[in-house]
Amino acid sequence: FTVRQYGSPPSFCHRGTLTCWGFPSGLRALQETLQSRRGSAPAGSYTKRLFDDSTLLRSKLVEEAQELAEAEEPDDIASEAADLLFFALVRCVAAGVTIADVEAHLDARALKLARRPGNAKASRDSAAAAILSDKAKRAADKGPVAAWSQAPSAGALALAAAAAAATDPLTAF
């Protein structure tokens, strides 16, 4: 069975917290912060810009997916994954999707007996390449160092395509 906790914040414990061990941390805490800021972020704040500008959010998702795909050291991988998860959670909160909704999809997929082959979608590869190419062109206008740091790698395109797909709920997986 599933226990759903209600209230503001949702609580079960006599301390007014989700558990007797304190407030949420990690992704759940970030989700709560983003949900709170969705309606109350001050004008001009980065979070407000992300909620209001779907093109910026899409570009950040693709950029962070590329950086994660290219990261090699464990700490860099963790850092880039954190960045990507942040922007993915902004996208989810903007669409009214919760971590529990994402977990439900993952759990349902784990129960499937038949699986798709897992190949990258060519249309998403093209869309991600276009986003990354446009970003690289804009960086080139700023100078050679910026252009080099923004140039897409072939290895990043598949993950970037997945990030691009994440901004379109009708094509996700």
Side-chain angles (χ1 to χ4, degrees):
F1 72 92
T2 300
V3 174
R4 301 221 188 274
Q5 298 176 347
Y6 297 95
S8 184
S11 59
F12 177 74
C13 176
H14 67 284
R15 296 171 57 191
T17 60
L18 190 61
T19 72
C20 294
W21 294 275
F23 292 97
S25 63
L27 291 176
R28 300 240 184 241
L30 177 58
Q31 174 182 274
E32 288 180 11
T33 299
L34 290 170
Q35 287 169 331
S36 169
R37 291 187 183 165
R38 183 176 180 202
S40 66
S45 75
Y46 188 55
T47 303
K48 176 108 173 108
R49 284 182 54 214
L50 290 170
F51 281 127
D52 292 346
D53 187 345
S54 61
T55 301
L56 172 62
L57 181 54
R58 179 185 302 252
S59 292
K60 292 304 294 182
L61 280 163
V62 171
E63 174 187 328
E64 296 303 335
Q66 175 187 2
E67 290 175 0
L68 176 59
E70 294 172 349
E72 294 181 10
E73 298 297 319
D75 189 60
D76 292 337
I77 292 168
S79 177
E80 296 304 338
D83 290 346
L84 183 57
L85 288 170
F86 169 78
F87 291 107
L89 199 49
V90 169
R91 175 64 179 121
C92 288
V93 169
V97 174
T98 66
I99 292 171
D101 298 330
V102 173
E103 289 171 337
H105 278 271
L106 291 171
D107 290 344
R109 289 178 190 163
L111 298 175
K112 286 185 178 181
L113 297 177
R115 307 229 186 266
R116 296 187 321 194
N119 299 328
K121 296 177 183 174
S123 64
R124 286 297 174 195
D125 283 346
S126 299
I131 291 169
L132 293 171
S133 177
D134 182 55
K135 189 172 184 70
K137 286 177 189 172
R138 284 181 288 162
D141 292 340
K142 294 179 182 178
V145 173
W148 175 80
S149 69
Q150 297 297 323
S153 71
L157 292 179
L159 190 53
T167 64
D168 184 353
L170 298 177
T171 60
F173 300 95

